[in-house]
Amino acid sequence: VQLQESGPGLVKPSQTLSLTCTVSGGSITTNYYYWSWIRQPPGKGLEWIGYIAYSGSTYYSPSLKSRTSISRDTSNNQFSLQLSSVTPEDTAVYYCARSRSADIPPYEYDYWGQGTQVTVSS
């Protein structure tokens, strides 16, 4: 299984950050897999943003829920992140990852994308 993030590397404050994760080698609709977005701000630890389950259900971190939307395109085996009203504090490396854990947040991941840097700046 391979995951690959894509999207703009620079976003202006107050705009919406949009990223897509393209999955190969496995279907995002296969039972009991959960597809997460995770980020790591500079000098800080990993922060789980949310996931979309194999069923299409979504769950978000309470701290980001009001600004986050995760969706999927099953025909292209992709899932996407939209984070609205961004500020410089949203600058981070953004990762997509797969887990078999339905815990919120998942306690482990078996596959990760390589990550993509997103900078919020005017």
Side-chain angles (χ1 to χ4, degrees), residues 37 49-50 62 114 119 121:
W37 286 100
I49 300 169
Q114 64 183 24
T119 300
S121 175

Side-chain angles (χ1 to χ4, degrees), residues 7-12 15 117-122:
L10 180 64
V11 182
K12 293 184 177 179
Q15 292 188 342
Q117 173 71 46
V118 178
T119 300
V120 179
S121 175
S122 56

Side-chain angles (χ1 to χ4, degrees), residues 37-81:
W37 286 100
I38 301 149
R39 69 182 184 180
Q40 186 168 28
K44 298 184 178 180
L46 294 170
E47 179 182 21
W48 179 73
I49 300 169
Y51 70 55
I52 187 163
Y54 61 95
S55 61
S57 298
T58 54
Y59 297 88
Y60 304 118
S61 167
S63 65
L64 296 169
K65 184 176 181 178
S66 64
R67 300 193 290 128
T68 305
S69 177
I70 298 175
S71 59
R72 68 181 184 176
D73 177 356
T74 56
S75 62
N76 288 308
N77 214 35
Q78 297 174 326
F79 64 104
S80 297
L81 168 70

Side-chain angles (χ1 to χ4, degrees), residues 4-41:
Q4 178 67 58
E5 305 90 349
S6 60
L10 180 64
V11 182
K12 293 184 177 179
S14 81
Q15 292 188 342
T16 296
L17 180 161
S18 297
L19 296 174
T20 295
C21 183
T22 300
V23 179
S24 59
S27 173
I28 62 172
T29 61
T30 298
N31 281 355
Y32 313 125
Y33 286 117
Y34 302 83
W35 305 89
S36 284
W37 286 100
I38 301 149
R39 69 182 184 180
Q40 186 168 28

Side-chain angles (χ1 to χ4, degrees), residues 34-38 46 48-49 51 96-100 105-112:
Y34 302 83
W35 305 89
S36 284
W37 286 100
I38 301 149
L46 294 170
W48 179 73
I49 300 169
Y51 70 55
C96 55
R98 189 187 82 168
S99 69
R100 296 188 179 192
Y107 59 83
E108 63 180 3
Y109 303 91
D110 56 0
Y111 291 99
W112 291 74

